[in-house]
Amino acid sequence: DVKVTQSSRYLVKRTGEKVFLECVQDMDHENMFWYRQDPGLGLRLIYFSYDVKMKEKGDIPEGYSVSREKKERFSLILESASTNQTSMYLCASSSLLQRNEQFFGPGTRLTVL
Amino acid sequence: AQKITQTQPGMFVQEKEAVTLDCTYDTSDPSYGLFWYKQPSSGEMIFLIYQGSYDQQNATEGRYSLNFQKARKSANLVISASQLGDSAMYFCAMREGRGSTLGRLYFGRGTQLTVWP
């Protein structure tokens, strides 16, 4: 089974802190994605990556950065967390060979105080 | 413009009845794929069904079927014989076949389905 894991299920940080959210997949997928999910807004794409060291901005990249140094790992970085970044963060991976069906991690619920 | 539109924020259905969740999409790309995901209250995203733009037949997976009307750009999810465990948020999503953005999905805002006994 494809497995996508995220470093934390719940995270509480203070305003201004630097926050790292880690995502690891074990299926050798080329593509990896970070979304945030807010009530009534669905899933919004923050950043995605289709290869190591490659990244593309999604629809809401402001306030975020990403890193992909290894194929299996995709990190989301909040350089200076703000309260409006309190949200559920979902990581996903996919492969063109599997019609790009996305496999999701369990999510990280981030609260910024 | 929204790539994926789900016009039903909430739907209610009685157990054992069928229910249709609406989804319309917007693309000029002839090659695309349509997905439905289920998200129970526990939060995990569960893949349900896929339809490719060139597929001639509507996709089916057990109690789930996708009513694909290409000319109307519609990809409704039909759940037959609803069960209490079907209560969840349902998301429609689309992939377009374009260059470096190949692989990203566009999601709708979701429909919250409640199945009552």
Side-chain angles (χ1 to χ4, degrees), chain A residues 31 33 94-96 98-102, chain B residues 3-4 25 27 29-35 50-55 92-98 101-107:
Chain A
N31 305 318
F33 307 83
S94 73
S95 170
L96 181 58
Q98 295 175 295
R99 68 193 176 194
N100 278 314
E101 172 191 335
Q102 290 192 8
Chain B
K3 294 267 190 186
I4 294 287
Y25 58 93
T27 182
D29 197 316
S31 175
Y32 54 90
L34 297 156
F35 302 79
Y50 169 83
Q51 179 86 41
S53 58
Y54 296 116
D55 293 343
C92 179
M94 176 178 67
R95 167 191 52 79
E96 291 176 317
R98 286 183 186 170
T101 63
L102 181 69
R104 75 156 289 176
L105 297 185
Y106 297 90
F107 282 85

Side-chain angles (χ1 to χ4, degrees), chain A:
Chain A
D1 275 354
V2 175
K3 197 161 184 185
V4 180
T5 57
Q6 295 183 229
S7 48
S8 306
R9 286 302 303 269
Y10 299 93
L11 207 54
V12 179
K13 294 292 181 181
R14 296 209 174 270
T15 302
E17 280 193 79
K18 189 168 187 175
V19 181
F20 292 88
L21 302 183
E22 304 283 341
C23 176
V24 177
Q25 50 94 5
D26 66 358
M27 279 301 290
D28 201 37
H29 283 172
E30 307 86 30
N31 305 318
M32 295 189 75
F33 307 83
W34 274 107
Y35 297 90
R36 66 177 281 175
Q37 182 178 9
D38 301 287
L41 297 179
L43 276 71
R44 294 182 291 167
L45 183 64
I46 305 171
Y47 268 97
F48 64 105
S49 168
Y50 54 91
D51 202 351
V52 176
K53 297 193 186 294
M54 305 301 288
K55 61 184 179 185
E56 295 259 356
K57 291 181 180 179
D59 301 320
I60 52 163
E62 298 79 19
Y64 304 94
S65 62
V66 289
S67 171
R68 193 165 181 202
E69 297 296 318
K70 293 185 178 181
K71 191 174 185 179
E72 68 271 17
R73 189 180 296 269
F74 192 36
S75 302
L76 179 69
I77 303 154
L78 288 65
E79 294 288 342
S80 178
S82 63
T83 54
N84 63 14
Q85 292 178 309
T86 292
S87 186
M88 169 71 87
Y89 290 88
L90 290 164
C91 175
S93 71
S94 73
S95 170
L96 181 58
L97 298 177
Q98 295 175 295
R99 68 193 176 194
N100 278 314
E101 172 191 335
Q102 290 192 8
F103 296 85
F104 284 82
T108 295
R109 185 162 293 283
L110 173 67
T111 302
V112 183
L113 301 176

Side-chain angles (χ1 to χ4, degrees), chain B residues 55-116:
Chain B
D55 293 343
Q56 295 296 313
Q57 300 214 339
N58 286 345
T60 60
E61 293 282 350
R63 294 186 298 110
Y64 304 108
S65 61
L66 200 152
N67 184 0
F68 182 45
Q69 298 188 42
K70 199 169 183 176
R72 299 177 67 177
K73 294 190 174 179
S74 165
N76 298 340
L77 177 70
V78 181
I79 306 174
S80 63
S82 298
Q83 301 172 356
L84 296 178
D86 294 334
S87 293
M89 182 70 85
Y90 289 80
F91 291 100
C92 179
M94 176 178 67
R95 167 191 52 79
E96 291 176 317
R98 286 183 186 170
S100 66
T101 63
L102 181 69
R104 75 156 289 176
L105 297 185
Y106 297 90
F107 282 85
R109 297 191 175 193
T111 296
Q112 180 69 48
L113 176 67
T114 302
V115 181
W116 49 285

Side-chain angles (χ1 to χ4, degrees), chain B residues 9-60:
Chain B
M11 287 285 284
F12 294 84
V13 66
Q14 190 170 24
E15 201 176 6
K16 300 179 186 172
E17 297 293 310
V19 62
T20 298
L21 306 184
D22 294 342
C23 173
T24 56
Y25 58 93
D26 182 24
T27 182
S28 57
D29 197 316
S31 175
Y32 54 90
L34 297 156
F35 302 79
W36 277 93
Y37 285 85
K38 171 184 178 182
Q39 187 181 43
S41 56
S42 53
E44 76 269 31
M45 292 283 283
I46 302 167
F47 165 74
L48 293 178
I49 198 166
Y50 169 83
Q51 179 86 41
S53 58
Y54 296 116
D55 293 343
Q56 295 296 313
Q57 300 214 339
N58 286 345
T60 60

